[in-house]
Amino acid sequence: ANCKPMETEKRRDLTDLEFVSIDAAKTQDIDDALYAEISSDGWTLFVAIADPTAYVEDASDLHRDVAARGTSVYFHGDVLPMLPEELSQDTCALSEGCDRPALVCKVAVSDNGEVGEFEFIEATVRSRAKLSYYAVDRYLNGQYDELMSHATPLEALYQVYRALRAHREEHGLVMEDRQEYRWILNDHKQIENIEPYEKLLSQKLVEECMIAANRCGARFLAQHKASGPFVTHRGFRADRLAETRKFLDMHAPALAQENPDTVAGYRAIMRGLAAPEQDLPLRTMVNRLLTRAELSTDCANHMGMALEGYTNCTSPLRKYV
């Protein structure tokens, strides 16, 4: 009740920037908002991240409760929130037209999509609009004129997305598109039917901006020798390396000489296994040989994305990390 983060002099006023949020239509716990503008050699991307730490004091009972939960748990048609809904859906959410405390990642993106210099800013922001994935997807596909009032930031964001995505496709690893399904529940929360759906272009846009901010977060933590948390991924399981090499010898001998312990080697192997000319679904067949991503206090490779460092700082209303 005594927290007044908007009144501190350390926050930079960025309310003049035309941030917009893009999320599911029903979402109220809005973690992030986006803005981009053209620069002399590419774009400047701003990712505003909600700042619940402004309201949750370190030694408080609330902080201990939030830390114990660790994450919001999403069910079909229901959610167990990590934060009290008054904070996650109101006080801290980057809601349309409201001044909110935020941690803003300002990052330079070059014409070829490279993530360059960055700055983290404790700021005050004001989202201009709460846009839905569906509406933005229609706009980006030329079908929805009602969003023309937000055309300037959306066009710049779309340009940034295309550059970031193209760079990751060339230099990193992008998760392959796969068929996803949505459970439709009836009034009794029983499954009524299951519908296939594809990830929208607007969802990919937001995802790419979040990845850029999280890469900057990992670089910031590593530069300051912080103890994380980092998100790491070792790639192939250490206890299955012999099996991995045998698999490659048998099904992809051209990749057998690549070193799966290096980012470059892992990237080459996974790209080769996913090549369209393969007769067998080799990329899927090696899933059982892979490790899960882990949280770490040390900055280490994230093989699954072919990055030398990664973290997750863009969902603070849903993830304690």
Side-chain angles (χ1 to χ4, degrees):
N2 296 323
C3 293
K4 297 181 179 179
M6 312 293 279
E7 296 179 11
T8 177
E9 294 181 359
K10 70 177 181 179
R11 289 197 178 272
R12 194 182 306 178
D13 186 349
L14 296 182
T15 55
D16 59 322
L17 300 184
E18 295 181 44
F19 282 100
V20 294
S21 66
I22 307 173
D23 216 316
K26 294 181 179 179
T27 299
Q28 298 300 318
D29 51 342
I30 302 171
D31 281 301
D32 51 75
L34 302 171
Y35 174 71
E37 57 191 22
I38 297 172
S39 66
S40 59
D41 57 353
W43 302 268
T44 304
L45 171 65
F46 296 81
V47 178
I49 306 164
D51 186 7
T53 63
Y55 293 94
V56 182
E57 296 179 355
D58 281 350
S60 64
D61 290 340
L62 174 59
H63 185 266
R64 284 189 286 273
D65 288 345
V66 170
R69 291 191 189 102
T71 182
S72 293
V73 181
Y74 291 87
F75 300 95
H76 290 280
D78 208 353
V79 60
L80 296 177
M82 177 185 73
L83 284 168
E85 290 186 353
E86 184 180 346
L87 289 179
S88 64
Q89 297 186 11
D90 184 12
T91 307
C92 300
L94 303 186
S95 306
E96 178 179 342
C98 299
D99 288 3
R100 292 287 190 259
L103 182 66
V104 174
C105 180
K106 176 184 178 182
V107 54
V109 179
S110 68
D111 282 325
N112 68 354
E114 192 167 355
V115 175
E117 294 185 359
F118 64 89
E119 177 186 8
F120 281 96
I121 307 165
E122 288 185 275
T124 303
V125 302
R126 183 188 307 143
S127 173
R128 295 297 197 275
K130 178 181 183 291
L131 307 179
S132 72
Y133 284 130
Y134 179 69
V136 173
D137 190 78
R138 290 189 65 192
Y139 171 80
L140 295 178
N141 286 291
Q143 300 173 330
Y144 203 62
D145 292 338
E146 289 183 34
L147 296 187
M148 285 304 294
S149 60
H150 306 293
T152 302
L154 283 178
E155 288 297 333
L157 285 169
Y158 184 48
Q159 293 170 14
V160 171
Y161 154 72
R162 297 206 317 178
L164 288 170
R165 180 78 175 198
H167 190 275
R168 278 212 310 131
E169 287 177 346
E170 182 178 356
H171 299 282
L173 279 174
V174 176
M175 181 179 292
E176 66 278 5
D177 287 330
R178 54 190 171 190
Q179 185 65 68
E180 297 189 37
Y181 298 88
R182 180 183 288 118
W183 295 1
I184 308 300
L185 307 184
N186 61 23
D187 293 340
H188 304 290
K189 296 194 175 181
Q190 301 298 310
I191 299 173
E192 196 162 84
N193 55 21
I194 299 174
E195 296 180 352
Y197 77 99
E198 296 181 2
K199 185 177 287 186
L200 300 175
L201 179 59
S202 53
Q203 291 173 305
K204 294 179 179 179
L205 183 157
V206 172
E207 179 181 64
E208 213 59 51
C209 294
M210 296 305 111
I211 290 172
N214 284 315
R215 291 172 64 184
C216 293
R219 283 163 55 186
F220 180 88
L221 292 170
Q223 287 171 4
H224 291 81
K225 297 180 172 53
S227 59
F230 298 96
V231 181
T232 65
H233 181 245
R234 288 175 49 91
F236 290 102
R237 290 169 50 178
D239 61 337
R240 305 294 284 274
L241 281 180
E243 190 175 345
T244 299
R245 296 189 187 283
K246 184 177 179 181
F247 177 89
L248 295 176
D249 285 335
M250 184 178 301
H251 297 291
L255 303 173
Q257 302 306 311
E258 298 286 351
N259 183 356
D261 287 331
T262 66
V263 170
Y266 182 85
R267 182 176 59 216
I269 290 171
M270 300 310 279
R271 280 184 170 177
L273 294 179
E277 63 269 17
Q278 297 287 359
D279 295 329
L280 296 170
L282 300 181
R283 171 62 187 83
T284 303
M285 291 166 67
V286 299
N287 281 346
R288 61 192 173 83
L289 304 175
L290 302 177
T291 65
R292 295 176 180 269
E294 298 178 342
L295 293 175
S296 173
T297 56
D298 299 312
C299 188
N301 295 332
H302 191 297
M303 295 293 205
M305 300 176 73
L307 296 174
E308 294 182 355
Y310 197 65
T311 190
N312 190 329
C313 63
T314 54
S315 304
L317 303 185
R318 313 172 194 196
K319 299 179 182 178
Y320 179 81
V321 91

